[in-house]
């Protein structure tokens, strides 16, 4: 169960964020409204939300998930693989220090790179996507840290998508939303797979929060499949974040 969530408001510079989506520029005012709805949805799940102010120096900084990995035993400050995002970690450190003691805050160090969007937690085991943003060295560093605290991790190479959780969402109870290149990966055979059709691939990025699943708006097949598993569902519109390669999980740190 999660007790805390950290989010960060989008800045006006979000229109300059990294994007491969080809969906046009985000509407800042609409992005703000969608972010407010996202925060309200999280609060309905019984968590305390810490909302950080927007930072115009970093267009992608609302995607706060990428700058830290927060476990039940310790926190990791990452080293983002996108050059324009590396200094985002400076702002998150004092925030993390409010929740974790100094001796339980670890760091990914160059030449290792790691972004939280590539990390999927399943209990005390962590799947680490090696991608354009998270390299093998970063993955090895995280595994070493996990083992230091009695946890474990394994790396999963990516070839087609941005982050591991772009195509996977663990919904607890052994249920896994899965899409694209992961469908035939034997690493995930142990899970109850809920296959996301190609035309709804963006809908694979959902978040489980204390028994409720937050889903992006506009993906009825995914919604029906999640509801069929018995989960209460809250639908949240993230259209403006999709335009800058972001989804539901990217917008928060949950711990």
């Amino acid at each position: 169960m999660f007790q805390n969530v950290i989010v960060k408001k989008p800045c006006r510079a979000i229109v300059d964020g990294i994007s491969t989506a080809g969906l046009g520029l985000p509407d800042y005012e609409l992005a703000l409204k969608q972010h407010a709805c996202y925060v309200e949805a999280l609060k309905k799940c019984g968590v305390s939300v810490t909302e950080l102010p927007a930072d115009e120096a970093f267009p992608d900084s609302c995607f706060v998930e990428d700058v830290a990995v927060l476990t039940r035993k310790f926190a990791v400050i990452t080293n983002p693989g996108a050059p324009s995002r590396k200094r985002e970690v400076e702002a998150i450190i004092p925030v993390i220090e409010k929740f974790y003691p100094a001796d339980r805050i670890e760091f990914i160090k160059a030449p290792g790179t790691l972004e939280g969007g590539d990390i999927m937690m399943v209990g005390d085991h962590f799947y680490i996507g090696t991608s354009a943003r998270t390299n093998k060295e970063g993955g090895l560093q995280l595994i070493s840290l996990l083992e230091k605290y009695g946890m474990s991790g394994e790396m999963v190479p990516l070839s087609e998508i941005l982050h591991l959780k772009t195509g996977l969402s663990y919904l607890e109870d052994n249920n896994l939303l899965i899409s694209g290149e992961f469908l035939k990966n034997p690493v995930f055979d142990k899970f109850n797979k809920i296959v996301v059709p190609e035309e709804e691939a963006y809908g694979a990025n959902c978040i489980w929060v204390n028994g409720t699943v937050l889903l992006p708006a506009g993906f009825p097949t995914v919604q029906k499949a999640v509801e069929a598993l018995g989960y209460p569902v809250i639908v949240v519109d993230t259209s403006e974040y999709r335009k800058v390669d972001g989804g539901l999980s990217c917008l928060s740190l949950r711990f």
Side-chain angles (χ1 to χ4, degrees), residues 60-83:
D60 298 288
S61 57
C62 59
F63 300 126
V64 70
E65 179 183 56
D66 289 321
V67 295
V69 176
L70 304 181
T71 81
R72 66 183 183 87
K73 294 184 177 181
F74 70 105
V76 181
I77 305 301
T78 69
N79 180 27

Side-chain angles (χ1 to χ4, degrees), residues 111-164:
T113 63
L114 188 139
E115 295 189 1
D118 277 318
I119 314 303
M120 184 176 76
M121 177 179 68
V122 179
D124 282 345
H125 186 71
F126 291 71
Y127 294 89
I128 305 160
T130 52
S131 66
R133 303 288 188 85
T134 297
N135 64 18
K136 185 177 180 181
E137 172 62 24
L140 288 171
Q141 286 185 36
L142 181 57
I143 290 171
S144 178
L145 291 170
L146 289 165
E147 291 175 348
K148 173 182 173 181
Y149 290 91
M151 298 172 157
S152 59
E154 65 184 292
M155 288 186 278
V156 180
L158 311 186
S159 61
E160 299 173 12
I161 58 175
L162 176 63
H163 283 142
L164 183 78

Side-chain angles (χ1 to χ4, degrees), residues 115-234:
E115 295 189 1
D118 277 318
I119 314 303
M120 184 176 76
M121 177 179 68
V122 179
D124 282 345
H125 186 71
F126 291 71
Y127 294 89
I128 305 160
T130 52
S131 66
R133 303 288 188 85
T134 297
N135 64 18
K136 185 177 180 181
E137 172 62 24
L140 288 171
Q141 286 185 36
L142 181 57
I143 290 171
S144 178
L145 291 170
L146 289 165
E147 291 175 348
K148 173 182 173 181
Y149 290 91
M151 298 172 157
S152 59
E154 65 184 292
M155 288 186 278
V156 180
L158 311 186
S159 61
E160 299 173 12
I161 58 175
L162 176 63
H163 283 142
L164 183 78
K165 285 187 295 201
T166 303
L168 292 172
S169 292
Y170 184 58
L171 304 181
E172 303 296 322
D173 307 312
N174 203 49
N175 294 318
L176 181 71
L177 283 175
I178 187 168
S179 66
E181 64 183 285
F182 301 121
L183 289 172
K184 296 182 180 179
N185 191 324
V187 167
F188 303 110
D189 285 348
K190 69 188 77 171
F191 294 99
N192 175 37
K193 298 179 185 177
I194 300 92
V195 176
V196 175
E198 184 178 353
E199 64 273 16
E200 293 195 16
Y202 181 81
N205 181 249
C206 300
I207 53 175
W208 176 98
V209 185
N210 299 343
T212 295
V213 177
L214 274 61
L215 290 123
F219 302 92
T221 303
V222 177
Q223 182 174 346
K224 186 179 294 184
V226 172
E227 290 174 337
L229 293 169
Y231 295 107
V233 164
I234 300 177

Side-chain angles (χ1 to χ4, degrees), residues 97-112:
E97 289 174 338
K98 295 178 181 178
F99 296 97
Y100 290 83
D103 63 353
R104 294 271 171 161
I105 300 176
E106 308 282 358
F107 294 82
I108 299 297
K109 300 171 183 176

